[in-house]
Amino acid sequence: MSSDSPRLRLEAENVGYTYPGEPPTRALEGLTLSVADNEFVALLGPVGCGKTTLLRIFAGFLTPSQGSVRCDGASVDGPSWQRGYVLQESSIFPWMSVRENLEFGLVAKGMEPEARRARSDELLHLLGLSSFEAAYPKQLSSGMSKMVEVARVLATDPSMLLLDEPFGALDAQTRARMQDELAGLWEQRRKTVVFVTHDVEEALYLADRIVVLTARPGHVKQQFKVTLPRPRSLETRFAPEFAALKRQVWEVI
Amino acid sequence: MSLVQRNRIKRALISLGTIAVVYGVAAEVGRYVLPHRIWMDVHYIDNVELLPTYRSLAEEMAFLLQSWILPDSILVSTGRILAGFVLGAATGIAVGLATGRAARLEYLADPWMMLLRFTPALALLPLYVIWFGYGEASKILLIATSVAVVVMLGAHHAVRGVPQVYLDAARALGASPRLIFRKVVLPAAFPQIFASLRVALGLAWVTIVVAELIDAKMPSLGYLLALSGAYPRVPQMLIGLGTIAALVFLSDMLALSLHAKVTRWMRRTG
């Protein structure tokens, strides 16, 4: 590996996945993709193109039917907290308070209560949810509870984030705010991110690279480097380069 | 107390009050209109009050209280319910959790569950008498069995029904199977397990009446009812029924308030 090309974190080679059934569903076929260290990659594609399947393979919940997936050179073998995975559906634990949710991954790691508390204090403060620490998720808006889910994963400090349409169910305004939060977090503390979305603007705003998948069975159709300057802001959304790139991406989709 | 609760209590009082008045009038009229002599299959029985007046109910109640028949019956029957319920619930929860969690165990247990679901526990009564003899053991075990079947099915399906997203999220966060069971499966399954406990508690009261006909001895509510039918003494019958209804209601209220306390996290409608 040459010094100027960044280290590869995730490598999917010729990956195929078929869901058993009558008839079987071929979700992915011949997909090759790699993600570099600290890179923010957005996976974009039509509904049912296998984006979620690919992410679940990266997360270790599915084993590819063909091809191979390696993380840091080793074959992916089951889930790991090192690859922090936020599911598409709401998975905040409704029977735990906000703080308990944030600390769950830390409990799993066997962290001492004082250290857990310090870490969750930090995250509560970051999310502006300090007054909600003892609240149950039913008292949160859907945007906030999704943010708690993301923060719950961040709490364990994984080196990689796999996010499956985290803001898919939110209204446009909340979504834009959450995107800012995420972009801010990421700029403060770089991580390798794979972000699934079907929203072109969201992908452009957040990612370093956009990977467009084909319809089922999904494979990489085209990739776009997003060189928009960081930190990104409202200005970014109205910059001519943004509009030009958006047009290019739309033409492929 | 919220306005909704206060309105609910008000409604209950008005509706019960109305029934009480209607009954009182009907009983007073009935004293003159209804027959006091009834044909019971092979013979006549005299001095029967088909619709006891409040006065005879009060007299009967005074007798049952002064003789300690009613308080003792309540104590004895409630004690049996408690013993049987605790035993049955513990067994049912343990087995249900195990079969719900372990796929291999479920493979074995599934046909058994079907069989149990369609076997009324009460029908085991004669068998239990032969196995465990007349006495406390067969009564308590009969209650325990009817409770265990309901609770086991409840716990089994509760565990099966825990949404996969929670299990996935927990695994992704690095939780061990043990931690997932304690912190995810149990709390997620809890509301449904509790609902089955509530149903089972009601069923336990049904079972006790029948169970107490084995080795029928005073004091017990089941036998009190049976005796009142044998005399027959309608006032005693009504008091026995009322007592059981009140106890079922009370235990259900207790269960409900406990349920509300431990599931504060759930979304509530109304």
Side-chain angles (χ1 to χ4, degrees):
Chain A
M1 207 184 291
S2 67
S3 56
D4 53 52
S5 80
R7 189 166 62 93
L8 291 183
R9 295 294 315 277
L10 270 178
E11 294 159 276
E13 211 177 295
N14 201 26
V15 163
Y17 191 85
T18 305
Y19 287 98
E22 266 325 310
T25 312
R26 279 155 59 212
L28 298 170
E29 201 167 68
L31 185 141
T32 299
L33 174 70
S34 55
V35 180
D37 195 25
N38 289 344
E39 192 183 15
F40 198 126
V41 171
L43 284 178
L44 200 63
V47 172
C49 72
K51 303 181 296 258
T52 294
T53 305
L54 183 59
L55 207 65
R56 283 183 79 77
I57 289 174
F58 284 155
F61 282 100
L62 294 176
T63 312
S65 325
Q66 297 126 40
S68 67
V69 173
R70 286 188 304 278
C71 176
D72 296 324
S75 180
V76 170
D77 178 25
S80 152
W81 65 268
Q82 284 285 2
R83 279 168 277 124
Y85 172 44
V86 177
L87 289 89
Q88 184 177 4
E89 305 92 333
S90 173
S91 68
I92 191 167
F93 301 133
W95 54 88
M96 291 183 194
S97 69
V98 169
R99 185 189 286 281
E100 287 170 320
N101 263 287
L102 290 174
E103 290 186 4
F104 183 78
L106 306 176
V107 173
K109 272 174 127 178
M111 196 186 264
E112 293 299 315
E114 301 80 47
R116 290 205 307 256
R117 207 173 162 82
R119 188 90 185 92
S120 56
D121 272 338
E122 191 186 319
L123 286 162
L124 283 166
H125 181 74
L126 192 73
L127 296 173
L129 279 180
S130 298
S131 57
F132 279 90
E133 56 161 339
Y136 286 108
K138 67 174 177 182
Q139 290 159 268
L140 300 181
S141 68
S142 56
M144 280 337 290
S145 73
K146 201 69 208 184
M147 222 47 219
V148 171
E149 271 180 62
V150 176
R152 180 174 69 180
V153 165
L154 287 174
T156 58
D157 201 18
S159 59
M160 191 185 294
L161 280 179
L162 305 169
L163 307 174
D164 195 350
E165 289 194 37
F167 311 136
L170 306 182
D171 63 277
Q173 272 172 301
T174 314
R175 175 186 275 232
R177 225 185 64 230
M178 295 296 150
Q179 288 165 0
D180 283 335
E181 297 271 355
L182 183 64
L185 280 173
W186 185 76
E187 271 147 25
Q188 272 175 40
R189 199 179 230 161
R190 297 269 164 147
K191 287 178 189 302
T192 309
V193 180
V194 181
F195 187 100
V196 166
T197 181
H198 57 247
D199 180 341
V200 177
E201 262 192 56
E202 183 169 78
L204 281 166
Y205 188 68
L206 292 170
D208 295 321
R209 181 156 57 108
I210 295 176
V211 176
V212 179
L213 300 186
T214 62
R216 202 163 47 216
H219 54 268
V220 177
K221 191 174 191 183
Q222 199 163 335
Q223 308 196 32
F224 297 89
K225 271 244 172 281
V226 184
T227 50
L228 299 163
R230 289 184 190 273
R232 291 174 187 168
S233 63
L234 196 61
E235 293 309 310
T236 317
R237 293 184 196 267
F238 295 102
E241 306 96 288
F242 190 89
L245 210 50
K246 188 169 152 187
R247 193 195 168 96
Q248 280 182 40
V249 176
W250 266 114
E251 274 164 5
V252 175
I253 294 176
Chain B
M1 201 185 292
S2 74
L3 193 69
V4 177
Q5 278 173 312
R6 206 173 305 171
N7 276 338
R8 210 172 278 172
I9 290 172
K10 195 172 140 195
R11 199 183 61 184
L13 285 179
I14 290 174
S15 111
L16 286 177
T18 311
I19 291 176
V21 170
V22 169
Y23 177 85
V25 172
E28 290 302 329
V29 174
R31 207 148 67 102
Y32 299 103
V33 180
L34 292 171
H36 291 270
R37 179 172 217 244
I38 56 168
W39 175 246
M40 286 275 278
D41 229 18
V42 285
H43 60 97
Y44 281 105
I45 297 169
D46 287 307
N47 300 324
V48 177
E49 241 188 318
L50 288 180
L51 221 51
T53 59
Y54 281 127
R55 218 169 69 104
S56 39
L57 282 175
E59 278 168 14
E60 186 67 33
M61 185 60 118
F63 162 70
L64 287 173
L65 288 177
Q66 272 160 15
S67 59
W68 278 89
I69 291 175
L70 191 62
D72 283 344
S73 298
I74 291 174
L75 279 179
V76 167
S77 295
T78 309
R80 285 173 185 153
I81 289 273
L82 276 179
F85 183 77
V86 169
L87 186 66
T91 315
I93 288 176
V95 175
L97 289 179
T99 58
R101 195 74 182 130
R104 223 175 295 169
L105 213 59
E106 196 209 3
Y107 179 81
L108 271 176
D110 208 40
W112 282 98
M113 299 252 235
M114 280 303 250
L115 201 66
L116 279 176
R117 194 196 300 255
F118 297 116
T119 309
L122 274 179
L124 291 169
L125 180 70
L127 190 64
Y128 275 25
V129 170
I130 293 174
W131 280 352
F132 309 112
Y134 289 104
E136 286 305 291
S138 39
K139 295 188 189 80
I140 289 170
L141 284 173
L142 193 70
I143 294 170
T145 308
S146 60
V147 168
V149 170
V150 172
V151 174
M152 186 183 76
L153 290 170
H156 176 87
H157 291 293
V159 169
R160 289 276 133 164
V162 174
Q164 188 65 35
V165 283
Y166 297 139
L167 304 176
D168 283 356
R171 265 181 82 201
L173 286 162
S176 63
R178 236 182 99 102
L179 185 70
I180 292 177
F181 186 71
R182 270 195 315 125
K183 296 278 186 180
V184 178
V185 173
L186 279 186
F190 184 79
Q192 207 186 328
I193 294 178
F194 200 93
S196 72
L197 284 174
R198 225 183 120 196
V199 172
L201 191 56
L203 195 63
W205 282 103
V206 176
T207 312
I208 189 77
V209 177
V210 179
E212 282 173 350
L213 293 175
I214 328 169
D215 187 25
K217 252 193 252 160
M218 280 299 200
S220 75
L221 287 172
Y223 193 55
L224 184 72
L225 267 184
L227 268 187
S228 67
Y231 292 152
R233 277 172 86 149
V234 183
Q236 197 181 83
M237 211 181 281
L238 290 188
I239 288 171
L241 278 173
T243 306
I244 292 173
L247 287 170
V248 174
F249 179 75
L250 209 70
S251 58
D252 197 53
M253 284 290 115
L254 260 165
L256 254 185
S257 69
L258 199 69
H259 181 248
K261 227 170 237 149
V262 288
T263 58
R264 267 175 309 149
W265 54 270
M266 282 176 76
R267 265 171 218 287
R268 295 237 181 279
T269 46

